Amino acid sequence: MKNIRMEITASKRLQSIGAYAFAEVDKEVEKLKAMGITPIDFGVGDPTVPTPDVVRKATQKGITLRKSSGYPSYIGASEFRQAIAQWIQKRFGVQMDPATEISSTIGSKEAVFNFPEGIVNPGDYVIIPTPGYPPYTRGTLFAEGIPYYVPLLSENKFLIDLNSIPEEICKKAKILWINYPNSPSGAIAPLSYLKEIVEFGKKYNIIIASDEAYSEIFFGEPPHSILEITKDGVIVFNSFSKRSAMTCYRVGWVAGDKRIVDIFKKVKTNIDSGTATFIQDGAIAALSDETHVEKMRAEYKVKRDLLVDAFHRIKLPDCTPEATIYLWQKVPDGMTSVVFAQKLLSPEIAIVTTPGAWISDKTANGLNPGEGYVRFALVPSIKDTREAARRIKKILPKAL
């Protein structure tokens, strides 16, 4: 028999999407490292501080406690869901039923990606902010839905302009994704705006999917949750990754309308498994402690202010974020986001960022609202951020 090499072809669904933007950032980092240069990496939003002691100790204890626990619950241990309900009550003043209105998740990414599978039929629209988290789009496409992108613009304070969405799209849409505090702009949505979002959803029978992963990283007044307006027609996604530097742990939750949470649970049960129960033990400990969160907020603010000042010194527009771990910096006039990011990547500067165009999708009229910006994830140490600020002030102007 001849040694015939079989043909392997990816599905059309997979072929329809490009490379994951943050994987492209990693490639640029590797290029610098190959040159013997260790860059200061503001590219991917992965906290570099150690996971808090209180979390690590509870997780270690949980490994022994759960030594014969078997498979974890798909929807989370009852004590974990109870802890989430108590935290939501304390933080937002909203009562949740842990048995019916909350489910654990393996972080936010799998939940965001898989959620449309339970709601969207082929040809249904999903309204998605851009720039935005890539799984909003990828999950829609894998569910055979159609993304409709709404640009987040500085003139609208990076809030979705609901009036700009065509009536025919509204009537065909099943989900509207919102993300406040917003990645990458750092904008916070006022309570009055969240009320408008809820009214919009009810008017058109659209589920509001609110990604609140950055709800605890803020620099002024605490942001609101859409749950403060209503649970009806709403589902919230949250995570421990940014709040408690638990990106490695893969644990989070959804909360909201029982009918929607029921659908999510059915999808989850058929697609994946539960987060390890000993990790849930660590997450419960994280929710019981606000001291480490306050400390992280303070450190992010120091890093934010160092970079904001550096860009102010070289006469770039002020882009001070209200919240999140990101700086959404406008680039010099007449320069693309990719070119500006490349200048920052020059060996003498060696600062890694994410070009805004890479994490934005073109709208119906061809606008890429991420063009003209670069995103800094404030994850390097304060020491490294201070050095990056020095390079921006002293070296970058020579390259512009």
Side-chain angles (χ1 to χ4, degrees):
M1 183 176 178
K2 290 184 178 180
N3 186 17
I4 300 174
R5 190 173 178 82
M6 65 183 292
E7 183 178 339
I8 307 293
T9 305
S11 68
K12 291 178 181 178
R13 193 178 286 122
L14 192 62
Q15 290 180 45
S16 70
I17 62 176
Y20 196 65
F22 306 128
E24 295 301 307
V25 174
D26 288 340
K27 288 181 184 178
E28 297 303 319
V29 173
E30 291 307 314
K31 287 179 185 177
L32 284 172
K33 288 181 178 178
M35 297 166 63
I37 298 168
T38 301
I40 303 175
D41 189 355
F42 296 92
V44 180
D46 187 358
T48 56
V49 296
T51 303
D53 234 17
V54 64
V55 176
R56 300 201 307 273
K57 287 178 179 177
T59 305
Q60 290 165 351
K61 183 178 178 181
I63 289 173
T64 300
L65 182 68
R66 310 290 184 177
K67 62 185 178 183
S68 302
S69 291
Y71 287 117
S73 164
Y74 286 102
I75 64 172
S78 60
E79 57 265 40
F80 178 48
R81 286 179 281 123
Q82 183 66 48
I84 293 166
Q86 290 171 350
W87 183 84
I88 291 173
Q89 169 71 51
K90 183 178 179 181
R91 172 69 173 83
F92 299 112
V94 178
Q95 287 190 327
M96 305 296 298
D97 183 343
T100 62
E101 297 177 329
I102 294 172
S103 174
S104 72
T105 66
I106 307 174
S108 279
K109 185 178 180 181
E110 60 87 18
V112 168
F113 181 91
N114 291 330
F115 176 62
E117 292 287 355
I119 303 296
V120 173
N121 292 309
D124 287 339
Y125 279 85
V126 175
I127 302 170
I128 299 172
T130 182
Y133 191 36
Y136 305 151
T137 291
R138 307 296 167 84
T140 297
L141 293 173
F142 272 60
E144 299 183 62
I146 304 171
Y148 181 84
Y149 298 111
V150 185
L152 300 181
L153 305 171
S154 59
E155 53 262 40
N156 296 328
K157 298 182 179 179
F158 298 106
L159 302 176
I160 294 173
D161 181 2
L162 298 173
N163 294 324
S164 72
I165 305 170
E167 187 81 7
E168 61 269 24
I169 299 297
C170 296
K171 290 178 178 177
K172 296 176 182 178
K174 288 291 188 71
I175 300 170
L176 165 62
W177 282 102
I178 64 170
N179 170 222
Y180 296 102
N182 179 253
S183 167
S185 71
I188 289 176
L191 203 58
S192 58
Y193 178 75
L194 294 177
K195 288 178 181 177
E196 290 179 29
I197 289 285
V198 167
E199 289 167 5
F200 176 84
K202 289 184 176 179
K203 178 180 179 180
Y204 293 105
N205 202 37
I206 299 172
I207 290 171
I208 307 301
S210 182
D211 177 359
E212 300 181 6
Y214 298 93
S215 68
E216 303 314 294
I217 308 298
F218 53 87
F219 309 115
E221 289 298 311
H224 293 284
S225 169
I226 201 165
L227 292 172
E228 295 175 54
I229 310 299
T230 186
K231 289 184 277 187
D232 186 36
V234 163
I235 184 168
V236 163
F237 297 72
N238 213 321
S239 166
F240 291 83
S241 293
K242 306 305 190 290
R243 176 193 182 274
S244 299
M246 292 173 65
T247 50
C248 179
Y249 288 64
R250 308 318 304 141
V251 59
W253 75 85
V254 297
D257 190 320
K258 174 189 180 299
R259 298 166 298 171
I260 305 172
V261 173
D262 278 346
I263 292 170
F264 175 83
K265 288 177 179 177
K266 187 171 183 179
V267 169
K268 179 170 176 52
T269 303
N270 282 281
I271 287 181
D272 57 41
S273 298
T275 295
T277 314
F278 61 83
I279 289 178
Q280 294 180 50
D281 293 336
I284 291 170
L287 287 175
S288 71
D289 179 70
E290 294 296 329
T291 304
H292 74 273
V293 189
E294 293 166 3
K295 180 182 177 184
M296 277 194 276
R297 277 198 291 265
E299 290 179 355
Y300 282 128
K301 185 178 185 300
V302 170
K303 292 186 278 188
R304 177 198 72 167
D305 292 347
L306 283 167
L307 290 182
V308 166
D309 175 70
F311 284 116
H312 173 74
R313 297 287 186 90
I314 65 170
K315 303 292 192 287
L316 287 186
D318 176 38
C319 293
T320 307
E322 299 176 272
T324 77
I325 65 170
Y326 303 113
L327 195 69
W328 190 231
Q329 180 60 51
K330 202 128 182 31
V331 308
D333 289 341
M335 188 176 291
T336 69
S337 60
V338 171
V339 168
F340 187 66
Q342 288 172 338
K343 290 185 180 296
L344 288 167
L345 274 172
S346 61
E348 61 271 22
I349 301 175
I351 291 174
V352 181
T353 62
T354 303
W358 284 8
I359 53 173
S360 299
D361 293 278
K362 288 184 179 179
T363 61
N365 62 5
L367 170 71
N368 184 328
E371 186 53 86
Y373 292 87
V374 292
R375 193 194 79 170
F376 284 75
L378 303 172
V379 295
S381 67
I382 291 176
K383 178 183 177 182
D384 283 346
T385 303
R386 187 171 283 113
E387 172 59 19
R390 184 195 69 80
R391 295 177 194 178
I392 288 168
K393 289 183 286 187
K394 301 296 184 181
I395 306 174
L396 181 59
K398 300 172 186 175
L400 299 179

mmCIF file of all heavy atoms in Angstrom, residues 365-393:
data_model
loop_
_atom_site.group_PDB
_atom_site.id
_atom_site.type_symbol
_atom_site.label_atom_id
_atom_site.label_comp_id
_atom_site.label_asym_id
_atom_site.label_seq_id
_atom_site.Cartn_x
_atom_site.Cartn_y
_atom_site.Cartn_z
ATOM 1 N N ASN A 365 -20.018 49.848 8.391
ATOM 2 C CA ASN A 365 -19.555 50.896 7.462
ATOM 3 C C ASN A 365 -18.041 50.886 7.277
ATOM 4 O O ASN A 365 -17.464 51.830 6.732
ATOM 5 C CB ASN A 365 -20.037 52.268 7.930
ATOM 6 C CG ASN A 365 -19.470 52.645 9.293
ATOM 7 O OD1 ASN A 365 -18.640 51.921 9.850
ATOM 8 N ND2 ASN A 365 -19.911 53.774 9.829
ATOM 9 N N GLY A 366 -17.392 49.808 7.730
ATOM 10 C CA GLY A 366 -15.957 49.660 7.495
ATOM 11 C C GLY A 366 -15.056 50.326 8.508
ATOM 12 O O GLY A 366 -13.831 50.305 8.364
ATOM 13 N N LEU A 367 -15.622 50.896 9.571
ATOM 14 C CA LEU A 367 -14.824 51.565 10.591
ATOM 15 C C LEU A 367 -14.178 50.549 11.528
ATOM 16 O O LEU A 367 -14.840 49.634 12.008
ATOM 17 C CB LEU A 367 -15.724 52.507 11.406
ATOM 18 C CG LEU A 367 -15.112 53.128 12.669
ATOM 19 C CD1 LEU A 367 -14.059 54.158 12.295
ATOM 20 C CD2 LEU A 367 -16.203 53.768 13.531
ATOM 21 N N ASN A 368 -12.887 50.706 11.770
ATOM 22 C CA ASN A 368 -12.212 49.937 12.817
ATOM 23 C C ASN A 368 -11.934 50.907 13.965
ATOM 24 O O ASN A 368 -10.981 51.689 13.909
ATOM 25 C CB ASN A 368 -10.908 49.332 12.308
ATOM 26 C CG ASN A 368 -10.236 48.445 13.361
ATOM 27 O OD1 ASN A 368 -10.335 48.698 14.559
ATOM 28 N ND2 ASN A 368 -9.540 47.412 12.918
ATOM 29 N N PRO A 369 -12.749 50.889 15.020
ATOM 30 C CA PRO A 369 -12.619 51.886 16.084
ATOM 31 C C PRO A 369 -11.381 51.713 16.950
ATOM 32 O O PRO A 369 -11.056 52.590 17.746
ATOM 33 C CB PRO A 369 -13.897 51.690 16.902
ATOM 34 C CG PRO A 369 -14.264 50.264 16.662
ATOM 35 C CD PRO A 369 -13.874 49.964 15.255
ATOM 36 N N GLY A 370 -10.683 50.589 16.802
ATOM 37 C CA GLY A 370 -9.450 50.403 17.549
ATOM 38 C C GLY A 370 -8.252 51.025 16.872
ATOM 39 O O GLY A 370 -7.190 51.181 17.490
ATOM 40 N N GLU A 371 -8.420 51.378 15.606
ATOM 41 C CA GLU A 371 -7.315 52.019 14.886
ATOM 42 C C GLU A 371 -7.042 53.385 15.520
ATOM 43 O O GLU A 371 -7.970 54.138 15.831
ATOM 44 C CB GLU A 371 -7.668 52.181 13.410
ATOM 45 C CG GLU A 371 -6.515 52.702 12.561
ATOM 46 C CD GLU A 371 -5.243 51.872 12.740
ATOM 47 O OE1 GLU A 371 -5.104 50.867 12.048
ATOM 48 O OE2 GLU A 371 -4.407 52.246 13.593
ATOM 49 N N GLY A 372 -5.763 53.659 15.716
ATOM 50 C CA GLY A 372 -5.399 54.926 16.346
ATOM 51 C C GLY A 372 -5.149 54.806 17.839
ATOM 52 O O GLY A 372 -4.881 55.810 18.506
ATOM 53 N N TYR A 373 -5.219 53.571 18.369
ATOM 54 C CA TYR A 373 -4.966 53.344 19.795
ATOM 55 C C TYR A 373 -4.022 52.161 19.976
ATOM 56 O O TYR A 373 -3.961 51.272 19.121
ATOM 57 C CB TYR A 373 -6.256 53.012 20.548
ATOM 58 C CG TYR A 373 -7.245 54.141 20.671
ATOM 59 C CD1 TYR A 373 -8.178 54.371 19.667
ATOM 60 C CD2 TYR A 373 -7.247 54.968 21.791
ATOM 61 C CE1 TYR A 373 -9.101 55.402 19.770
ATOM 62 C CE2 TYR A 373 -8.177 56.003 21.912
ATOM 63 C CZ TYR A 373 -9.092 56.213 20.897
ATOM 64 O OH TYR A 373 -10.007 57.233 21.006
ATOM 65 N N VAL A 374 -3.320 52.142 21.100
ATOM 66 C CA VAL A 374 -2.627 50.934 21.547
ATOM 67 C C VAL A 374 -3.073 50.648 22.973
ATOM 68 O O VAL A 374 -3.408 51.565 23.733
ATOM 69 C CB VAL A 374 -1.082 51.045 21.499
ATOM 70 C CG1 VAL A 374 -0.585 51.111 20.076
ATOM 71 C CG2 VAL A 374 -0.596 52.226 22.316
ATOM 72 N N ARG A 375 -3.102 49.362 23.314
ATOM 73 C CA ARG A 375 -3.530 48.962 24.646
ATOM 74 C C ARG A 375 -2.339 48.540 25.488
ATOM 75 O O ARG A 375 -1.540 47.705 25.063
ATOM 76 C CB ARG A 375 -4.528 47.798 24.562
ATOM 77 C CG ARG A 375 -5.247 47.540 25.881
ATOM 78 C CD ARG A 375 -5.959 46.208 25.877
ATOM 79 N NE ARG A 375 -5.039 45.093 26.104
ATOM 80 C CZ ARG A 375 -5.424 43.848 26.341
ATOM 81 N NH1 ARG A 375 -6.705 43.544 26.343
ATOM 82 N NH2 ARG A 375 -4.528 42.891 26.544
ATOM 83 N N PHE A 376 -2.223 49.142 26.663
ATOM 84 C CA PHE A 376 -1.228 48.736 27.655
ATOM 85 C C PHE A 376 -1.950 47.973 28.755
ATOM 86 O O PHE A 376 -2.872 48.516 29.387
ATOM 87 C CB PHE A 376 -0.552 49.953 28.287
ATOM 88 C CG PHE A 376 0.472 50.629 27.427
ATOM 89 C CD1 PHE A 376 0.090 51.425 26.360
ATOM 90 C CD2 PHE A 376 1.830 50.482 27.694
ATOM 91 C CE1 PHE A 376 1.028 52.065 25.570
ATOM 92 C CE2 PHE A 376 2.773 51.117 26.904
ATOM 93 C CZ PHE A 376 2.381 51.907 25.832
ATOM 94 N N ALA A 377 -1.564 46.733 29.002
ATOM 95 C CA ALA A 377 -2.068 45.986 30.163
ATOM 96 C C ALA A 377 -1.107 46.251 31.312
ATOM 97 O O ALA A 377 0.089 45.955 31.211
ATOM 98 C CB ALA A 377 -2.142 44.499 29.844
ATOM 99 N N LEU A 378 -1.604 46.792 32.399
ATOM 100 C CA LEU A 378 -0.753 47.269 33.485
ATOM 101 C C LEU A 378 -0.281 46.130 34.387
ATOM 102 O O LEU A 378 -0.445 46.178 35.613
ATOM 103 C CB LEU A 378 -1.507 48.318 34.307
ATOM 104 C CG LEU A 378 -2.020 49.528 33.520
ATOM 105 C CD1 LEU A 378 -2.906 50.403 34.400
ATOM 106 C CD2 LEU A 378 -0.855 50.337 32.962
ATOM 107 N N VAL A 379 0.327 45.125 33.789
ATOM 108 C CA VAL A 379 0.708 43.939 34.558
ATOM 109 C C VAL A 379 2.191 43.856 34.953
ATOM 110 O O VAL A 379 2.517 43.137 35.900
ATOM 111 C CB VAL A 379 0.286 42.641 33.823
ATOM 112 C CG1 VAL A 379 -1.233 42.555 33.741
ATOM 113 C CG2 VAL A 379 0.890 42.561 32.431
ATOM 114 N N PRO A 380 3.126 44.557 34.288
ATOM 115 C CA PRO A 380 4.503 44.517 34.788
ATOM 116 C C PRO A 380 4.591 45.139 36.192
ATOM 117 O O PRO A 380 3.671 45.832 36.642
ATOM 118 C CB PRO A 380 5.280 45.348 33.758
ATOM 119 C CG PRO A 380 4.460 45.261 32.511
ATOM 120 C CD PRO A 380 3.045 45.266 32.989
ATOM 121 N N SER A 381 5.693 44.906 36.857
ATOM 122 C CA SER A 381 5.895 45.455 38.200
ATOM 123 C C SER A 381 5.935 46.981 38.153
ATOM 124 O O SER A 381 6.124 47.590 37.088
ATOM 125 C CB SER A 381 7.205 44.929 38.788
ATOM 126 O OG SER A 381 8.310 45.455 38.058
ATOM 127 N N ILE A 382 5.795 47.597 39.325
ATOM 128 C CA ILE A 382 5.919 49.064 39.398
ATOM 129 C C ILE A 382 7.314 49.485 38.946
ATOM 130 O O ILE A 382 7.472 50.476 38.224
ATOM 131 C CB ILE A 382 5.626 49.554 40.834
ATOM 132 C CG1 ILE A 382 4.143 49.359 41.162
ATOM 133 C CG2 ILE A 382 6.013 51.025 40.995
ATOM 134 C CD1 ILE A 382 3.760 49.708 42.584
ATOM 135 N N LYS A 383 8.319 48.724 39.343
ATOM 136 C CA LYS A 383 9.695 49.040 38.933
ATOM 137 C C LYS A 383 9.825 49.026 37.409
ATOM 138 O O LYS A 383 10.391 49.959 36.809
ATOM 139 C CB LYS A 383 10.657 48.026 39.554
ATOM 140 C CG LYS A 383 12.113 48.232 39.151
ATOM 141 C CD LYS A 383 13.010 47.146 39.754
ATOM 142 C CE LYS A 383 14.450 47.308 39.283
ATOM 143 N NZ LYS A 383 15.321 46.226 39.815
ATOM 144 N N ASP A 384 9.315 47.981 36.763
ATOM 145 C CA ASP A 384 9.407 47.890 35.307
ATOM 146 C C ASP A 384 8.551 48.962 34.631
ATOM 147 O O ASP A 384 8.914 49.487 33.568
ATOM 148 C CB ASP A 384 8.970 46.507 34.832
ATOM 149 C CG ASP A 384 10.043 45.450 35.070
ATOM 150 O OD1 ASP A 384 11.187 45.816 35.356
ATOM 151 O OD2 ASP A 384 9.720 44.251 34.954
ATOM 152 N N THR A 385 7.404 49.272 35.231
ATOM 153 C CA THR A 385 6.553 50.319 34.656
ATOM 154 C C THR A 385 7.242 51.675 34.735
ATOM 155 O O THR A 385 7.169 52.478 33.803
ATOM 156 C CB THR A 385 5.199 50.366 35.390
ATOM 157 O OG1 THR A 385 4.579 49.081 35.309
ATOM 158 C CG2 THR A 385 4.271 51.395 34.751
ATOM 159 N N ARG A 386 7.940 51.914 35.825
ATOM 160 C CA ARG A 386 8.689 53.173 35.964
ATOM 161 C C ARG A 386 9.782 53.251 34.896
ATOM 162 O O ARG A 386 10.006 54.317 34.298
ATOM 163 C CB ARG A 386 9.284 53.263 37.369
ATOM 164 C CG ARG A 386 9.934 54.598 37.659
ATOM 165 C CD ARG A 386 10.319 54.743 39.127
ATOM 166 N NE ARG A 386 9.149 55.030 39.953
ATOM 167 C CZ ARG A 386 8.648 54.216 40.866
ATOM 168 N NH1 ARG A 386 9.215 53.034 41.067
ATOM 169 N NH2 ARG A 386 7.605 54.557 41.579
ATOM 170 N N GLU A 387 10.449 52.137 34.635
ATOM 171 C CA GLU A 387 11.472 52.111 33.579
ATOM 172 C C GLU A 387 10.844 52.321 32.207
ATOM 173 O O GLU A 387 11.397 53.039 31.362
ATOM 174 C CB GLU A 387 12.229 50.781 33.623
ATOM 175 C CG GLU A 387 13.184 50.542 32.459
ATOM 176 C CD GLU A 387 14.273 51.595 32.307
ATOM 177 O OE1 GLU A 387 14.550 52.341 33.267
ATOM 178 O OE2 GLU A 387 14.838 51.680 31.189
ATOM 179 N N ALA A 388 9.681 51.703 31.981
ATOM 180 C CA ALA A 388 8.982 51.896 30.703
ATOM 181 C C ALA A 388 8.613 53.369 30.521
ATOM 182 O O ALA A 388 8.750 53.928 29.422
ATOM 183 C CB ALA A 388 7.733 51.021 30.651
ATOM 184 N N ALA A 389 8.155 54.005 31.592
ATOM 185 C CA ALA A 389 7.798 55.427 31.524
ATOM 186 C C ALA A 389 9.023 56.265 31.165
ATOM 187 O O ALA A 389 8.937 57.222 30.379
ATOM 188 C CB ALA A 389 7.204 55.880 32.849
ATOM 189 N N ARG A 390 10.178 55.900 31.722
ATOM 190 C CA ARG A 390 11.420 56.619 31.403
ATOM 191 C C ARG A 390 11.751 56.500 29.921
ATOM 192 O O ARG A 390 12.101 57.491 29.261
ATOM 193 C CB ARG A 390 12.574 56.071 32.245
ATOM 194 C CG ARG A 390 13.885 56.834 32.056
ATOM 195 C CD ARG A 390 15.068 56.071 32.605
ATOM 196 N NE ARG A 390 15.381 54.874 31.828
ATOM 197 C CZ ARG A 390 16.063 54.884 30.668
ATOM 198 N NH1 ARG A 390 16.485 56.017 30.150
ATOM 199 N NH2 ARG A 390 16.309 53.749 30.043
ATOM 200 N N ARG A 391 11.632 55.284 29.382
ATOM 201 C CA ARG A 391 11.937 55.071 27.963
ATOM 202 C C ARG A 391 10.956 55.836 27.070
ATOM 203 O O ARG A 391 11.339 56.363 26.016
ATOM 204 C CB ARG A 391 11.889 53.581 27.630
ATOM 205 C CG ARG A 391 12.952 52.758 28.343
ATOM 206 C CD ARG A 391 12.811 51.274 28.019
ATOM 207 N NE ARG A 391 13.594 50.446 28.928
ATOM 208 C CZ ARG A 391 13.625 49.120 28.895
ATOM 209 N NH1 ARG A 391 12.898 48.461 27.991
ATOM 210 N NH2 ARG A 391 14.351 48.443 29.761
ATOM 211 N N ILE A 392 9.699 55.874 27.469
ATOM 212 C CA ILE A 392 8.700 56.601 26.680
ATOM 213 C C ILE A 392 9.041 58.090 26.652
ATOM 214 O O ILE A 392 8.968 58.738 25.598
ATOM 215 C CB ILE A 392 7.287 56.371 27.274
ATOM 216 C CG1 ILE A 392 6.831 54.938 26.978
ATOM 217 C CG2 ILE A 392 6.281 57.383 26.697
ATOM 218 C CD1 ILE A 392 5.598 54.514 27.759
ATOM 219 N N LYS A 393 9.459 58.627 27.782
ATOM 220 C CA LYS A 393 9.770 60.063 27.851
ATOM 221 C C LYS A 393 11.092 60.406 27.164
ATOM 222 O O LYS A 393 11.198 61.435 26.487
ATOM 223 C CB LYS A 393 9.814 60.515 29.318
ATOM 224 C CG LYS A 393 8.456 60.557 29.990
ATOM 225 C CD LYS A 393 8.526 61.083 31.419
ATOM 226 C CE LYS A 393 9.110 60.070 32.369
ATOM 227 N NZ LYS A 393 9.019 60.515 33.792
#
